Amino acid sequence: MNRRDFLATATTASAALALSGCNQSNHKAIDYSKHPHANGADKKRVNFNKNKKTVIKLATSWPAHFPIMGTGVEKFAQRLKDISSGSLEIKLYPKNVLVPALAVFDAASSGQIDAFHSGPYYWKGKNSAFSLYSGMPFGFTAEEINSWMLFGGGLELWREQYAKYNLHPLLGGNTNIQMGGWFRKPITSLKDMQGLKMRIPGLGGEVFAKMGVNPILLPAGEIYTSLERGVIDATEWVGPALDIKMGFYKVAPYYYSGWHEPGSILELTFNKHSWNKLPFEHQAMIEVCSSEMNANMTTEFHAKNIVALQKLKKLDVKLLNFPTEVNQAGKKALVEVVDELSSKNNDFKIVSESIHKYLILSKKWADVGLKHYLNER
Ligand code: CA
């Protein structure tokens, strides 16, 4: 497949190429009629006894009651308790209580805990393909990534690749569109990005690095002070709702719209053995409640962002867009990053091709549907 097409507006020819792409890669054909949820008829049934209580140890990468992500998991646990008449209890361990924030993947993989709530791009060191399950720069919106996950083969690929780590992922939320970040000085050209020290993780960080930025990884607690003291020149975080709480506007007032995380997935991932030994009824309840959590977190981000944006405007924040040459350089850098990672890792190649194929079609529909409407209203 011609990877240069990745970001080009799809022509009929490239769409046809994309449609035939499944024959060219080793990605198996997708059965769009299949919904990847637990199917009681398919598996050996574990007896369900509603009087027997099952406790699931679930660790998260967020502090207790962390807005939207932390509180969302707490609501999920409560809903499961209610729906199961108390027969299913999620014992929640916030960040660092039982397991360090970024050790939850290994802890669930080894069976130390039954499940975790986090974000797949944290595990790109295990397999670069995992970062793609969070999303990618210039990639899917929240709605599109859910569509690819549930009906475009994304979740099947994810489960196949996580199974090698003894893990079973479910959709666990979405940050919705993120902002490009907070800058101490305005960005007027690509030149202004050269050597800029910016806190930006994931694939976005790799794309920014190709554009001349020096991406820095910092724990959440150190970002504000580093920005204030000029140790870093810029940081991305999430969007207005969470960014305002970090106070970045006080030290870096230039707030840019972005494209590096257009709809980042959060995961609810189970140890495969812990998942398989649950009765079908409990699996189904978990799937229903995780679907609810996935939808609610996405809309809660939207609801809280619209309020926080108005507050930020009153605080004299400068809302800006990157110059066109910066955006163009970002698209070019993305193609290079995807090419490099695909040549190093076949899993990355398979997943990025599946995304590419779906994205080309989705863009065609978005152009005549949603994008048209948003431009006109
Ligand atoms: Ca982010």
Side-chain angles (χ1 to χ4, degrees):
M1 189 182 296
N2 179 2
R3 309 201 62 80
R4 303 287 151 191
D5 284 350
F6 205 90
L7 297 150
T9 305
T11 60
T12 311
S14 66
L17 179 66
L19 282 167
S20 67
C22 56
N23 299 325
Q24 294 169 10
S25 75
N26 41 7
H27 181 269
K28 63 178 186 246
I30 294 158
D31 176 2
Y32 287 91
S33 65
K34 207 165 83 185
H35 206 264
H37 279 179
N39 181 345
D42 273 2
K43 63 195 281 284
K44 204 172 138 225
R45 296 290 287 255
V46 175
N47 281 338
F48 176 58
N49 175 356
K50 66 177 169 35
N51 298 317
K52 184 176 166 254
K53 187 164 156 180
T54 300
V55 178
I56 288 171
K57 285 160 87 175
L58 189 155
T60 79
S61 294
W62 334 113
H65 321 309
F66 188 73
I68 312 178
M69 279 116 98
T71 53
V73 188
E74 287 158 21
K75 280 179 215 158
F76 162 79
Q78 183 60 46
R79 289 286 271 170
L80 261 182
K81 194 176 168 191
D82 295 344
I83 285 174
S84 69
S85 308
S87 67
L88 197 52
E89 188 195 329
I90 301 282
K91 182 117 185 58
L92 271 183
Y93 297 94
K95 163 183 167 175
N96 302 340
V97 171
L98 181 64
V99 186
L102 299 184
V104 294
F105 183 101
D106 286 337
S109 180
S110 70
Q112 185 198 349
I113 52 173
D114 300 304
F116 69 87
H117 189 265
S118 189
Y121 74 11
Y122 291 127
W123 326 123
K124 69 172 187 170
K126 310 266 178 208
N127 185 334
S128 55
F130 295 169
S131 60
L132 293 166
Y133 298 118
S134 287
M136 67 186 296
F138 297 106
F140 294 135
T141 63
E143 185 183 22
E144 286 174 327
I145 200 165
N146 281 333
S147 162
W148 172 68
M149 280 285 182
L150 294 175
F151 301 100
L155 193 56
E156 277 179 291
L157 279 173
W158 193 7
R159 287 187 175 164
E160 216 173 278
Q161 293 182 350
Y162 263 33
K164 293 171 195 157
Y165 291 83
N166 194 32
L167 294 171
H168 178 78
L170 290 92
L171 301 180
N174 194 301
T175 67
N176 225 318
I177 179 90
Q178 297 203 13
M179 286 294 282
W182 299 88
F183 292 73
R184 281 160 58 93
K185 290 180 187 158
I187 299 295
T188 57
S189 68
L190 187 57
K191 232 175 97 201
D192 290 341
M193 305 287 274
Q194 305 313 301
L196 198 85
K197 294 191 286 296
M198 179 170 182
R199 181 265 172 199
I200 177 166
L203 270 176
E206 295 188 42
V207 168
F208 271 58
K210 283 247 180 268
M211 294 161 66
V213 168
N214 180 9
I216 313 253
L217 290 183
L218 286 173
E222 288 173 27
I223 304 173
Y224 181 87
T225 338
S226 303
L227 201 55
E228 186 183 30
R229 293 184 188 155
V231 176
I232 55 172
D233 308 300
T235 185
E236 72 83 54
W237 187 235
V238 186
L242 295 187
D243 293 11
I244 197 169
K245 293 178 191 293
M246 298 291 275
F248 299 139
Y249 61 90
K250 294 177 204 160
V251 286
Y254 301 97
Y255 195 27
Y256 279 83
S257 294
W259 38 253
H260 73 296
E261 287 192 70
S264 290
I265 285 260
L266 301 164
E267 63 184 319
L268 172 71
T269 293
F270 277 77
N271 168 284
K272 228 170 146 41
H273 176 68
S274 300
W275 176 258
N276 287 338
K277 74 179 185 193
L278 289 170
F280 167 71
E281 288 82 352
H282 276 167
Q283 289 181 345
M285 289 174 202
I286 292 168
E287 286 176 338
V288 167
C289 292
S290 80
S291 288
E292 182 187 60
M293 171 164 69
N294 192 45
N296 282 357
M297 268 192 210
T298 316
T299 44
E300 190 175 355
F301 265 108
H302 185 86
K304 299 221 158 121
N305 280 338
I306 62 180
V307 174
L309 180 66
Q310 295 313 307
K311 288 185 186 158
L312 286 171
K313 278 182 164 177
K314 285 184 189 142
L315 293 167
D316 255 354
V317 165
K318 314 274 184 290
L319 290 169
L320 297 165
N321 296 318
F322 291 124
T324 305
E325 68 167 342
V326 168
N327 297 334
Q328 293 304 334
K331 289 181 185 179
K332 189 170 161 278
L334 174 66
V335 174
E336 288 169 26
V337 168
V338 169
D339 277 350
E340 281 173 22
L341 292 171
S342 295
S343 68
K344 284 185 206 155
N345 176 4
N346 199 47
D347 282 350
F348 188 97
K349 184 170 182 279
I350 291 167
V351 184
S352 63
E353 282 179 359
S354 169
I355 290 172
H356 181 187
K357 185 159 71 86
Y358 205 77
L359 189 59
I360 285 176
L361 288 175
S362 191
K363 280 165 79 172
K364 283 175 159 300
W365 164 228
D367 282 350
V368 298
L370 188 63
K371 188 173 169 184
H372 168 77
Y373 171 68
L374 290 178
N375 284 338
E376 295 298 330
R377 81 173 176 187

